[in-house]
Amino acid sequence: MWLSALPFLCLIFPDSAKMSGQTFVLKQIISEVEEEFFKDRAVPTDWDQTIALIGTIHQSINDPKRLERLVSGWSKPRALKDAQKSLDTREIGNDQLKVDNMAQALEFYNQAVLWGPMQGPQNYLLPLALANRSLVLMRMKQFHLAVRDMTMAIESGYPKENKYKLFQRMAKCYASIEDAANAMKCHEKLKESLVSESNLPRKSIQDILQESNNLILNVKRTRKAQSFLDLTSNQTIPEEDPLTISKPHKTISRAHGSVRIQYNDVRGRFVEASKDIDVGELIIRDSPVVHYINPVNSTKNCYACGTNANAPVPCQTCANTAFCSVECRTKANATSHVYDCGLALPDIFWKQKATGSGFATLIGMTLKVSTQQKAGFFTKNGFKAFNAPDLNADPSSKDPTLKNYDIFFNMASHVDPSNFGETLGVALILWKWLDSQGYFQNILPSDLEPFQDQRRNPKVFFTVLLFHFYSVIQSNNHTVQEIGKIDMTAEKFTVGSAVYPHVASIFNHNCDPNTSPIQVGLDQLTFASRVIHQGEEISHIYQAHFGNTPKAKRQEILQSMFHFVCSCEACAEDYPLAQSLPQSFAELGLDPELDRKYEECNLRIQDALEMPGSALKMLELYSERTRLVCKHLKRPHMFYLSSRAAITDCLWVMFGNKSQGLEGHSLQGIYL
Ligand SMILES: [Zn+2]
Ligand SMILES: [Zn+2]
Ligand SMILES: [Zn+2]
């Protein structure tokens, strides 16, 4: 099958062969698989043909070890710890600490922690990195994280004779947050360690204990109820929790009561307002079926919960994956991370000079959506819930034990001929990888007996499922974002991808959407970005806004990525780009008094901007301005665009995900 030995060697030993420019190893492997198993076969046009083809391919794999060799041949440096790198980065961290550059010191200690081996002769490097990082965290007043790091340092074998230093530091941390009880406990451990583990002379021991004693006496004297740890922003949060739906929908989980699902032949399924919905109202809050942190952020954001981990907890095995806490690590290591730890997908991205982030993320999600459940979950529910996808199936799950996987399964039904080979390659590679990792052990083959096709064979069943999951993820993934800093201002960054089952199955695309989505943790919250009138369709935007992308380009993007011809109003009436839109009321022959009112609103917004913690006030003012726009103007108009941008940013500032260290940065910089 191989034309020459070179491409073969290139696959097995990617390091040994010369890569041409930006060649992407994973893509290359997948196209080789595609070439070998799919070439000269007709592209299936429907679901049944796809199953039949995958069945035939499984019968024709005559060297079952070869797929496995392809996967295990990837060069995966970050799948392994690296003592030298841990040592080097810790030294740079030490230098930064000496010159009081805390942010840089933290960054390098983070790397030292991630690279530090947990086993083998150099396993002393990890506790040293953790202990040094705890010092930086303490100086940054992140006392809980500092204590956690010291606890991990001790558990992972910090040198016995120096342990007293950590107990001393822990007591100081607890004293700083006026937690006298825990400070006292650390003082007791300090005493014990000084006497039985340290090599210090008696005089030094007495001095240290005396100092620690004084510290605790001080805490007891000045103890206040107030916690020093609350470093969160001082935004005023309204009394009624705006992130929960007050009058929820009867069947769609966490959706506004005033939405209604409709069907027609032209648009398929869509959702409309059954009553007027005001600007700023929460329409739906959705949790993802699966999410994946992209390679650029895999050492910063928590693999399990997505949180920006200021001081990540390392994976025990790979150097690629960050967790925000020991709890998140335990959770991930009981399920999906077992299977992507050794595969080290982000490595492929780093190895290829940081290209292919999207591809690695899609594959990571396909793997994760499978492995966060046990294989038996799919076989047990296979015939009932994962038989044939149906785009028009009810988007509200009837069976909570399916964890919205039934909705997820029904989110794509077409077989995309242009992408068929790649999808098949991904499915085969992932199936083989999971097989080699023992994922399919313990399934009951009899669960698959109700199938009347080749899916009675578990190999075919799971390859079909992986094939389909990859298709669903390709056309239904949303970005997961957070606000991070650039110099002195703040901006939204993409940190990963997620699939939101309800959002994706009820909202259609519109090039002029009437909603603003924001991210709170891993949840996506969709708010009304203007007044949505009864009977009006509620829409999201998948890609390409009419304000900055001409119609022909939009149609091209939507067709190639999502396989539909957009017929929204902006497309039907060919709205002009933003720069050609009207910019006032008077321009359209309306009462100039309206422009005066609009300007007055803007002045009040300017005033509110000057006040700290003013996001709620800003949201009220922007909503008021938006109502004025909605009442008097027809779309398209520049005021609609600026209103949506402002509402979106306000909501982000108030509730959206934020990275660490934004204090002192002008969040207002993101207002448009
Ligand atoms: Zn977490
Ligand atoms: Zn790992
Ligand atoms: Zn459109």
Side-chain angles (χ1 to χ4, degrees):
M1 298 279 175
W2 307 101
L3 292 175
S4 73
L6 182 65
F8 184 72
L9 286 174
C10 197
L11 292 173
I12 305 296
F13 309 107
D15 279 332
S16 68
K18 188 173 162 286
M19 295 286 180
S20 60
Q22 302 273 307
T23 316
F24 184 22
V25 176
L26 185 54
K27 205 133 205 171
Q28 194 183 331
I29 291 176
I30 283 161
S31 57
E32 294 289 352
V33 172
E34 190 185 329
E35 169 84 3
E36 175 160 347
F37 297 110
F38 181 56
K39 201 182 162 220
D40 301 331
R41 295 185 198 270
V43 180
T45 52
D46 64 22
W47 180 244
D48 290 336
Q49 287 179 18
T50 305
I51 294 166
L53 175 68
I54 290 175
T56 314
I57 288 173
H58 265 293
Q59 284 164 5
S60 72
I61 299 178
N62 39 27
D63 176 4
K65 282 271 167 216
R66 224 175 56 70
L67 273 172
E68 193 175 328
R69 282 201 302 272
L70 286 178
V71 181
S72 56
W74 300 354
S75 171
K76 294 171 281 204
R78 276 175 194 244
L80 304 166
K81 301 289 187 183
D82 188 319
Q84 191 59 46
K85 287 199 173 105
S86 180
L87 189 68
D88 293 347
T89 45
R90 182 160 54 90
E91 274 171 9
I92 304 175
N94 291 346
D95 293 341
Q96 295 297 321
L97 184 64
K98 275 182 212 142
V99 294
D100 265 346
N101 191 345
M102 293 301 148
Q104 282 294 309
L106 180 62
E107 205 158 321
F108 282 101
Y109 286 148
N110 281 346
Q111 290 186 43
V113 165
L114 288 164
W115 286 118
M118 292 214 182
Q119 269 99 38
Q122 284 160 310
N123 66 356
Y124 62 92
L125 288 166
L126 175 67
L128 294 184
L130 285 164
N132 288 15
R133 188 169 75 177
S134 74
L135 190 59
V136 174
L137 290 168
M138 187 170 144
R139 298 236 184 119
M140 293 173 114
K141 299 200 187 317
Q142 308 224 9
F143 301 112
H144 282 305
L145 287 180
V147 168
R148 184 209 63 193
D149 270 9
M150 286 183 269
T151 310
M152 285 199 295
I154 290 168
E155 283 169 2
S156 55
Y158 193 73
K160 202 171 74 178
E161 62 279 13
N162 288 331
K163 254 157 78 178
Y164 74 90
K165 290 185 186 169
L166 297 189
F167 290 125
Q168 194 182 14
R169 197 181 293 163
M170 274 197 234
K172 279 185 190 161
C173 283
Y174 281 122
S176 303
I177 54 173
E178 306 193 335
D179 181 343
N182 274 314
M184 195 62 215
K185 277 186 200 156
C186 293
H187 178 75
E188 291 304 320
K189 286 184 189 157
L190 168 66
K191 211 190 292 179
E192 202 184 305
S193 179
L194 279 168
V195 175
S196 64
E197 295 175 320
S198 79
N199 304 322
L200 294 181
R202 183 183 293 262
K203 175 75 178 81
S204 311
I205 292 181
Q206 277 167 357
D207 290 349
I208 292 172
L209 284 175
Q210 186 59 49
E211 191 199 330
S212 172
N213 225 353
N214 291 343
L215 184 82
I216 286 166
L217 285 175
N218 260 335
V219 178
K220 285 184 174 163
R221 271 198 290 269
T222 63
R223 183 163 186 198
K224 284 177 258 156
Q226 168 209 5
S227 161
F228 280 22
L229 263 180
D230 187 14
L231 301 174
T232 51
S233 71
N234 58 350
Q235 303 293 352
T236 341
I237 301 295
E239 273 174 27
E240 189 190 344
D241 181 2
L243 301 187
T244 56
I245 307 256
S246 48
K247 291 191 196 95
H249 195 270
K250 284 198 189 70
T251 55
I252 306 169
S253 160
R254 293 192 290 177
H256 197 293
S258 304
V259 306
R260 159 168 83 197
I261 293 185
Q262 300 284 63
Y263 300 84
N264 73 29
D265 289 344
V266 186
R267 283 189 283 177
R269 183 169 58 206
F270 61 98
V271 60
E272 65 174 31
S274 60
K275 291 193 186 107
D276 285 2
I277 297 175
D278 196 12
V279 53
E281 278 194 69
L282 176 57
I283 295 174
I284 188 168
R285 175 172 189 153
D286 207 4
S287 303
V289 170
V290 61
H291 78 276
Y292 198 79
I293 301 299
N294 66 25
V296 190
N297 294 76
S298 74
T299 56
K300 298 188 188 91
N301 289 71
C302 178
Y303 173 93
C305 76
T307 305
N308 187 302
N310 195 25
V313 171
C315 170
Q316 285 106 326
T317 313
C318 70
N320 229 335
T321 307
F323 300 97
C324 70
S325 62
V326 176
E327 293 72 32
C328 270
R329 180 173 73 184
T330 308
K331 197 175 120 195
N333 279 346
T335 56
S336 55
H337 192 54
V338 178
Y339 301 100
D340 56 22
C341 184
L343 198 57
L345 285 165
D347 249 336
I348 291 158
F349 163 83
W350 294 115
K351 190 111 189 82
Q352 298 311 307
K353 302 189 178 75
T355 61
S357 167
F359 193 49
T361 303
L362 292 179
I363 291 177
M365 283 171 96
T366 307
L367 197 62
K368 199 173 179 187
V369 79
S370 314
T371 55
Q372 59 191 9
Q373 306 300 334
K374 290 201 166 26
F377 169 83
F378 298 106
T379 47
K380 191 166 128 264
N381 297 301
F383 188 68
K384 178 179 65 170
F386 311 122
N387 193 341
D390 173 10
L391 268 186
N392 285 323
D394 188 348
S396 51
S397 185
K398 302 277 180 293
D399 180 355
T401 66
L402 291 174
K403 301 166 190 171
N404 290 328
Y405 271 69
D406 46 346
I407 307 179
F408 175 82
F409 183 77
N410 286 319
M411 278 158 60
S413 67
H414 64 276
V415 174
D416 176 11
S418 66
N419 233 351
F420 191 90
E422 176 188 301
T423 310
L424 184 69
V426 169
L428 283 167
I429 285 280
L430 292 184
W431 167 75
K432 188 63 235 176
W433 169 254
L434 290 174
D435 188 41
S436 71
Q437 301 295 302
Y439 174 70
F440 302 119
Q441 282 167 7
N442 306 323
I443 57 165
L444 276 180
S446 60
D447 282 342
L448 299 174
E449 272 164 20
F451 282 111
Q452 294 305 307
D453 52 38
Q454 300 202 54
R455 283 178 291 172
R456 295 164 73 102
N457 175 348
K459 286 181 190 177
V460 179
F461 173 76
F462 278 105
T463 311
V464 168
L465 212 56
L466 287 161
F467 176 95
H468 182 64
F469 285 173
Y470 186 70
S471 310
V472 169
I473 287 167
Q474 269 181 317
S475 47
N476 290 284
N477 71 89
H478 281 80
T479 55
V480 173
Q481 294 183 308
E482 70 183 25
I483 299 179
K485 60 185 170 185
I486 289 194
D487 301 326
M488 287 314 286
T489 60
E491 257 188 46
K492 272 176 263 169
F493 290 92
T494 296
V495 297
S497 283
V499 176
Y500 295 99
H502 300 99
V503 163
S505 40
I506 63 174
F507 290 118
N508 286 327
H509 162 87
N510 194 305
C511 301
D512 179 22
N514 49 16
T515 55
S516 300
I518 68 158
Q519 233 105 34
V520 180
L522 287 171
D523 283 359
Q524 189 191 60
L525 282 72
T526 299
F527 290 86
S529 61
R530 61 179 187 237
V531 180
I532 304 175
H533 295 290
Q534 185 180 352
E536 195 183 332
E537 177 168 357
I538 307 170
S539 54
H540 260 217
I541 179 164
Y542 301 170
Q543 282 279 327
H545 194 281
F546 84 87
N548 57 14
T549 315
K551 180 179 166 184
K553 184 74 196 161
R554 297 202 302 273
Q555 296 270 339
E556 188 191 312
I557 293 172
L558 295 167
Q559 180 60 255
S560 72
M561 290 181 74
F562 306 101
H563 318 288
F564 71 93
V565 178
C566 187
S567 58
C568 75
E569 263 178 67
C571 286
E573 295 175 19
D574 199 2
Y575 286 0
L577 293 174
Q579 63 261 33
S580 313
L581 290 174
Q583 315 242 353
S584 69
F585 291 87
E587 220 172 305
L588 300 173
L590 292 163
D591 187 354
E593 176 65 12
L594 292 169
D595 283 305
R596 208 195 49 73
K597 273 193 184 162
Y598 189 87
E599 265 318 301
E600 187 198 286
C601 237
N602 281 344
L603 288 175
R604 280 155 62 207
I605 289 167
Q606 284 297 328
D607 287 346
L609 264 175
E610 309 289 315
M611 298 186 304
S614 58
L616 179 62
K617 182 75 193 153
M618 302 285 296
L619 184 64
E620 276 167 21
L621 290 168
Y622 278 129
S623 299
E624 191 184 321
R625 202 183 74 177
T626 308
R627 283 183 210 110
L628 183 76
V629 169
C630 294
K631 191 168 170 196
H632 298 280
L633 288 173
K634 235 180 83 63
R635 290 186 308 276
H637 191 288
M638 191 58 205
F639 287 173
Y640 275 102
L641 265 56
S642 37
S643 295
R644 178 171 181 269
I647 296 282
T648 308
D649 283 352
C650 261
L651 290 165
W652 262 102
V653 169
M654 287 174 76
F655 309 116
N657 293 335
K658 297 170 192 82
S659 71
Q660 308 280 337
L662 283 170
E663 294 81 11
H665 282 73
S666 166
L667 281 178
Q668 292 152 355
I670 74 166
Y671 290 124
L672 300 175

